[in-house]
Amino acid sequence: MAVLARLRDILSEERWEFAPHERPAMPGSPGSPDHPLARRIAYGLVAVLVGLTGGFGNALVAANTVTLAGALGLDPSEIAWLPTVYVMTNVSINLLLIKFRQQFGLRPFAVLFLSLYCALTLGHLFVRDFASAILVRAASGMAGAALSTFALYYLMQAFPAKWRLRALVLGIGIPQCATPLARLFSPELLAMSQWRTLYLFELGLSALSLAAVLAFRLPPTTRQKAFEPLDFVTFALYAVSMALFAAVLGLGRYVWWTQAAWIGWALLAAIPMLSAALWIEHHRRNPLLNTRWLGSADILRFAIVTLMARIVLSEQTYGAVGLLTVLGQNNDQLVPFFTIIFLATVAGFVLSAATIDPLKLTQPVMLAIGLVAIAAWADSHATSLTRAPQLYVTQAVIAFAGAYFLGPSLLFGMTRALQQGAGHVISFLALFGVLNSIGSLAGSALLGTYQIVREKANSAVLTQAISPTDPIVQARLQAGASGVARVVGDPSLRAAEGGALLSQAATREANVLAYDDMFRLIAVLAALTFCYLLFLIARRHWRAMRKR
């Protein structure tokens, strides 16, 4: 009985008398009382801890897929499931989390998901197999959605009411800083005890976050009956369809799109399920997804621009890092590179928060996409001699742009959702989650596929240009053979090694040319998106002038 009483106390909300200006903006969100300075500092520190914990759940794996594949004995297509499964659970869970908070409060919401995350991460340390790794990533995806929300709430409590919009921008930025940080210190973690150290670090962060959330409670929220039976039907259809789309986008370029039969079956199941979910919601009185609002012209334009932005911002996570990996550089050699990216990311969020203007949200997005277009075009001139220092400036610009873009993009949709009523917030957050999570996967899938296709084309051209009778080619073959003369005594084997070295050089050059082609594609896509935004702004000003 004592244990049950203690559990009830942990899960219960505190009683709090709110002044009129301190009441929660909507059921499920905390109140906004005036806090003393010490409590604000504590809330800010908890926000950083919780936000980074949510971000590291995927960043640690995504930054070390090659090492983890070797340690766990997985091939490239199997290890690709780990970051993909994270997205599969993360992309749709917000549909239920919002209503869960509205009906049961903030406390059970935090304790349930953090406890599940801790338990599965701990279990994986003792059960070393592919299935347990998948379960941990799935739990990490669900917990990551919950923790990102809590980072926002805690940081908003740390700021005065007049700075709440700035806190919102900074709060959404904390989990984004986990990706460059993971690449900075994960080599040292892996050197200690390979994959187990990564999971111990992840377990420690989740346990600290659980303790911090229990120690520093958010102001309670107002509750209301939120769930309806059809919510679970819609969620099941929507979640499974999004998971299938994520699996196709995450694994397609590894198993190849036209070679794996399961891709066709997944799409065959996902499209009707998503259509059924949208049809149900379209005819409901209190829909979970407001299809009429989501189909409005303003929101469709927002979706197009945000999706294109997520795709072109994959230039950094896939393009630049992939190019440096092909050229023989790894995380150990890229510490200054990722330090610059981290600092540029922080600068982007800080400047975005300092300059945010609810009446001018399109201009920062347009500026960010324009910067990506310029930086990607500069990167398209890379050669096989390019190393990380040559990419410091352009990648810092892209990291800054990615951070500067996110806050105004979120506020653009959120303000329009709140104008229509609090019920539209669920619809917007579902759309925003799809655009960012699925958009990032789609960006990597598009760019990765294009890079592979261009590498094959460039390799064919380079191979055809190599003639054994060409004096330059003969000199290169002899130089390669001479390089292994001390360890290979047989002249025929030395000649074969020289040919193999020349083939490796041709493959490397084909890959570099393919990445250059990919950078040019990104620059074109970003430039087209920039021009589209410029057209929308010009049309809006023209219509405003006509009304005068």
Side-chain angles (χ1 to χ4, degrees):
M1 295 297 292
V3 173
L4 291 176
R6 179 58 181 163
L7 180 61
R8 186 169 59 251
D9 179 62
I10 289 175
L11 294 176
S12 64
E13 301 267 9
E14 296 178 359
R15 293 188 178 275
W16 199 304
E17 295 296 330
F18 289 112
H21 70 282
E22 297 175 342
R23 294 186 181 278
M26 59 180 290
S29 63
S32 303
D34 296 324
H35 299 293
L37 179 61
R39 189 184 297 168
R40 290 189 186 279
I41 294 174
Y43 277 140
L45 294 175
V46 173
V48 173
L49 172 63
V50 169
L52 289 178
T53 302
F56 278 131
N58 190 44
L60 286 172
V61 172
N64 299 283
T65 52
V66 176
T67 305
L68 287 174
L72 296 173
L74 304 177
D75 61 42
S77 62
E78 288 176 327
I79 198 65
W81 275 106
L82 299 188
T84 301
V85 165
Y86 179 94
V87 176
M88 289 168 67
T89 56
N90 180 270
V91 68
S92 55
I93 194 65
N94 266 325
L95 277 180
L96 285 189
L97 293 187
I98 296 173
K99 286 206 169 186
F100 185 94
R101 296 197 306 268
Q102 291 176 345
Q103 184 156 332
F104 299 105
L106 293 165
R107 195 93 181 140
F109 167 77
V111 174
L112 174 64
F113 285 95
L114 276 170
S115 300
L116 175 65
Y117 186 24
C118 288
L120 287 175
T121 307
L122 178 63
H124 184 58
L125 292 172
F126 299 97
V127 182
R128 177 188 168 180
D129 60 17
F130 184 52
S132 64
I134 290 291
L135 284 176
V136 172
R137 288 307 107 212
S140 177
M142 292 187 290
L147 291 174
S148 297
T149 302
F150 261 74
L152 283 174
Y153 286 157
Y154 271 100
L155 202 63
M156 291 177 74
Q157 297 296 321
F159 282 76
K162 63 180 180 180
W163 288 352
R164 289 287 158 81
L165 283 182
R166 297 177 180 177
L168 183 66
V169 174
L170 293 176
I172 199 175
I174 292 173
Q176 310 303 317
C177 295
T179 299
L181 283 177
R183 291 188 178 273
L184 279 176
F185 61 76
S186 57
E188 284 73 19
L189 291 177
L190 289 168
M192 295 179 190
S193 184
Q194 292 189 346
W195 66 274
R196 284 187 176 83
T197 312
L198 285 183
Y199 280 93
L200 279 171
F201 180 75
E202 195 174 354
L203 175 62
L205 281 179
S206 59
L208 285 174
S209 296
L210 179 59
V213 168
L214 291 174
F216 298 96
R217 298 189 175 193
L218 286 169
T221 184
T222 55
R223 302 185 192 179
Q224 66 179 23
K225 188 178 184 305
F227 283 114
E228 298 178 8
L230 275 178
D231 288 341
F232 299 99
V233 177
T234 297
F235 176 76
L237 294 170
Y238 178 81
V240 174
S241 64
M242 286 294 108
L244 291 173
F245 282 126
V248 169
L249 291 172
L251 276 296
R253 61 191 169 96
Y254 292 97
V255 299
W256 202 244
W257 308 97
T258 58
Q259 299 298 317
W262 69 263
I263 289 181
W265 289 110
L267 293 175
L268 188 64
I271 294 172
M273 292 176 74
L274 180 60
S275 301
L278 296 178
W279 184 85
I280 291 172
E281 293 303 292
H282 190 74
H283 294 88
R284 286 181 65 183
R285 178 172 296 180
N286 298 310
L288 194 63
L289 294 170
N290 194 310
T291 55
R292 291 177 176 82
W293 180 70
L294 290 174
S296 62
D298 209 22
I299 299 303
L300 286 177
R301 286 193 291 268
F302 163 80
I304 291 171
V305 171
T306 304
L307 181 62
M308 291 301 300
R310 296 311 305 177
I311 289 174
V312 299
L313 287 170
S314 298
E315 197 269 19
Q316 186 162 83
T317 54
Y318 178 82
V321 175
L323 173 64
L324 293 175
T325 302
V326 165
L327 294 175
Q329 297 196 280
N330 53 37
N331 286 347
D332 292 330
Q333 300 167 299
L334 298 177
V335 170
F337 178 75
F338 289 114
T339 301
I340 291 171
I341 288 178
F342 169 71
L343 295 176
T345 301
V346 173
F349 281 115
V350 170
L351 186 61
S352 178
T355 60
I356 195 73
D357 184 351
L359 300 178
K360 296 179 179 179
L361 295 174
T362 307
Q363 287 83 347
V365 175
M366 188 171 69
L367 172 63
I369 294 176
L371 289 174
V372 173
I374 296 171
W377 185 259
D379 285 346
S380 69
H381 296 87
T383 68
S384 58
L385 299 178
T386 298
R387 294 295 182 267
Q390 284 78 51
L391 300 179
Y392 284 167
V393 174
T394 56
Q395 293 306 303
V397 168
I398 291 176
F400 175 86
Y404 194 71
F405 144 84
L406 201 56
S409 176
L410 174 66
L411 286 178
F412 181 89
M414 185 68 78
T415 52
R416 278 151 181 78
L418 291 174
Q419 288 171 3
Q420 300 295 322
H424 289 68
V425 172
I426 298 178
S427 301
F428 167 71
L429 291 179
L431 175 66
F432 194 73
V434 168
L435 293 174
N436 282 279
S437 299
I438 299 295
S440 296
L441 276 183
S444 297
L446 172 65
L447 300 182
T449 302
Y450 185 74
Q451 191 272 333
I452 291 171
V453 171
R454 292 304 304 158
E455 188 274 331
K456 301 302 181 187
N458 291 328
S459 182
V461 172
L462 291 175
T463 302
Q464 290 176 0
I466 296 176
S467 173
T469 60
D470 190 329
I472 297 177
V473 174
Q474 290 180 350
R476 186 66 179 265
L477 290 171
Q478 291 174 0
S482 300
V484 297
R486 293 184 179 181
V487 293
V488 179
D490 190 331
S492 61
L493 288 179
R494 284 202 302 268
E497 286 294 330
L501 291 174
L502 180 59
S503 176
Q504 291 176 8
T507 301
R508 184 186 65 241
E509 293 298 329
N511 272 293
V512 172
L513 291 173
Y515 276 104
D516 287 347
D517 292 337
M518 186 192 70
F519 291 142
R520 279 188 283 272
L521 173 64
I522 293 170
V524 170
L525 292 176
L528 290 175
T529 307
F530 178 88
C531 293
Y532 178 63
L533 283 171
L534 186 62
F535 164 73
L536 293 178
I537 291 175
R539 187 180 66 174
R540 185 175 62 192
H541 282 294
W542 179 71
R543 288 178 175 177
M545 291 177 61
R546 286 191 62 187
K547 291 180 180 179
R548 292 178 183 175

